[in-house]
Amino acid sequence: MNSPLLGRSLLKLHDLSFVELRYLLDLSHRVKAQRRRREATSRFRGLSLGLLFEKPSTRTRSAFETAFGEEGGHPCFLSPKDIQLGAKETIEDTARVLGRMFDGIMFRGFRQDSVEALARYSGVPVYNGLTDDYHPMQVLADLMTLEENWGQLEGRKLVYAGDARNNMANTLIFGCAMVGIELVLACPEELSPDERIVQESRNYLLDDTPALVIERNLQTALRGADAVYTDVWASMGEEDRLQERLALLRPYQINAETLSWTQKNDTLFLHCLPAVRGNEVTAEVLEGPNSRVWDQSENRKHTTKAVLLATLPLFEKTLDP
Ligand code: CP
Ligand code: NVA
């Protein structure tokens, strides 16, 4: 089947239509099954991918390098220490040059404007591997993980607790709306999402999915939750705000007691990682039976491979994706 996403970038999850998101999730499940069967493929043979990092990463870098490299592609890691991006060369010039060298570019960094400019000026597919605003590659893996557990996503309830104005919350707001998950954000007023994002997300609600709710009281928010998601209290680049965040977010920690507030035994616990045990989550929950965080991490690789397969013009297909 021809991919509906051929030649496209993935800069925000809500750039995708419902059909395109469904296509990527189905493809992700297929490539995971292929990998499990240890089918040798080389679908990226002859292609090169530039991986541009302004911020550090374990999962995103590993997912792109392994997903692309194990199928014969050449991933090229470009750190800010080594290239001219920013101070010495404009993002537009960098984009034009990289677009002449690489078949696709992944960007992880601060400004959403930067990844958008890379896509505009490079002429090749560009993937947002996290910006201050969004983390679409992560939420694809999160949705895949939930689907593995639930089969169907529509009609489930997910509670995100903590900093509800960061890249993860912003992306979950759209991701949950698009697949029909009811989303409750449990957060203090100071860390509520931008009102423009809340308003915009209403345009993406699948069928009669309830609009997102913002709830200050964690216990009220968690009642009946099918999944609980949390993230670090100080994102990359905001480390100097940690003391202030600790004071604001302590009541939102996910621990054995707060998890029991869901009044269900099978509530799944998710975290994009890296986690700070003792802040947003306790070790007991992170490593407990409800946790699916390691599956989420693994699924970063499969969803990344699906995105690359769907968007890059391949030279040759040895296996039909
Ligand atoms: N979840 C995630 O993006 O992890 P890294 O920061 O390690 O890439
Ligand atoms: N909100 C976190 C996500 C890390 C994957 C951060 O930006 O640091």
Side-chain angles (χ1 to χ4, degrees):
M1 171 183 170
N2 282 338
S3 166
L5 287 159
L6 192 63
R8 290 260 299 277
S9 293
L10 183 52
L11 308 178
K12 308 195 288 288
L13 199 69
H14 53 292
D15 287 341
L16 299 170
S17 69
F18 301 108
V19 172
E20 290 161 352
L21 176 56
R22 186 64 263 153
Y23 178 85
L24 285 179
L25 288 170
D26 288 341
L27 187 53
S28 302
H29 292 295
R30 283 211 299 284
V31 299
K32 183 170 183 175
Q34 287 166 351
R35 181 78 189 155
R36 285 283 193 272
R37 294 194 298 267
R38 301 197 69 72
E39 289 175 357
T41 57
S42 49
R43 289 174 281 198
F44 299 128
R45 189 166 51 198
L47 302 182
S48 300
L49 189 65
L51 306 176
L52 205 47
F53 284 87
E54 289 178 344
K55 292 179 179 175
S57 162
T58 299
R59 278 143 290 270
T60 304
R61 178 177 175 183
S62 304
F64 272 92
E65 291 210 12
T66 57
F68 196 62
E70 73 192 17
E71 297 239 13
H74 174 69
C76 182
F77 176 70
L78 302 165
S79 90
K81 289 200 291 292
D82 305 320
I83 68 161
Q84 309 277 18
L85 183 67
K88 295 196 197 133
E89 190 161 26
T90 65
I91 193 105
E92 292 82 358
D93 289 357
T94 305
R96 290 181 180 110
V97 172
L98 297 184
R100 299 292 182 103
M101 306 272 177
F102 294 105
D103 298 286
I105 301 166
M106 193 280 328
F107 173 82
R108 160 168 290 203
F110 294 91
R111 296 171 57 89
Q112 182 70 16
D113 287 352
S114 301
V115 76
E116 311 245 349
L118 278 172
R120 207 161 39 251
Y121 290 94
S122 68
V124 295
V126 171
Y127 312 104
N128 179 354
L130 178 148
T131 60
D132 289 346
D133 295 353
Y134 296 111
H135 198 0
M137 302 297 296
Q138 177 66 48
V139 172
L140 268 181
D142 302 338
L143 296 177
M144 178 185 185
T145 307
L146 291 174
E147 238 170 25
E148 287 176 331
N149 284 274
W150 296 339
Q152 196 177 319
L153 301 174
E154 200 175 340
R156 297 285 187 159
K157 172 178 171 178
L158 183 145
V159 176
Y160 173 92
D163 176 6
R165 41 136 295 283
N166 73 11
N167 41 21
M168 280 311 310
N170 287 345
T171 315
L172 284 166
I173 288 173
F174 289 98
C176 288
M178 290 166 75
V179 299
I181 293 178
E182 175 188 350
L183 177 66
V184 178
L185 301 172
C187 62
E189 188 164 357
E190 296 86 336
L191 298 171
S192 298
D194 189 317
E195 187 50 33
R196 279 169 307 184
I197 287 186
V198 174
Q199 292 291 344
E200 191 188 353
S201 72
R202 300 211 171 108
N203 301 326
Y204 294 85
L205 285 167
L206 181 70
D207 300 332
D208 48 6
T209 307
L212 87 90
V213 168
I214 300 174
E215 172 58 58
R216 306 289 169 221
N217 183 298
L218 183 63
Q219 188 161 9
T220 308
L222 285 174
R223 202 169 300 132
D226 297 300
V228 180
Y229 203 117
T230 190
D231 185 14
V232 288
W233 286 347
S235 287
M236 288 179 272
E238 299 185 328
E239 288 81 359
D240 59 337
R241 314 295 289 268
L242 184 60
Q243 287 313 313
E244 167 195 327
R245 295 286 167 75
L246 288 173
L248 284 169
L249 288 170
R250 272 213 181 87
Y252 296 89
Q253 184 190 68
I254 304 302
N255 54 45
E257 188 199 348
T258 58
L259 190 61
S260 77
W261 291 344
T262 63
Q263 300 177 2
K264 296 178 63 168
N265 293 325
D266 59 353
T267 302
L268 300 178
F269 174 75
L270 301 183
H271 192 310
C272 54
L273 304 179
V276 183
R277 288 167 173 79
N279 280 3
E280 72 274 7
V281 62
T282 56
E284 190 182 8
V285 169
L286 189 74
E287 287 160 29
N290 300 59
S291 175
R292 295 293 180 275
V293 300
W294 317 119
D295 293 336
Q296 281 177 275
S297 284
E298 181 193 331
N299 288 339
R300 288 295 309 275
K301 172 184 176 124
H302 306 300
T303 46
T304 294
K305 188 182 284 185
V307 169
L308 295 171
L309 281 172
T311 53
L312 289 174
L314 308 179
F315 282 145
E316 178 185 347
K317 289 184 191 164
T318 53
L319 255 189
D320 191 353

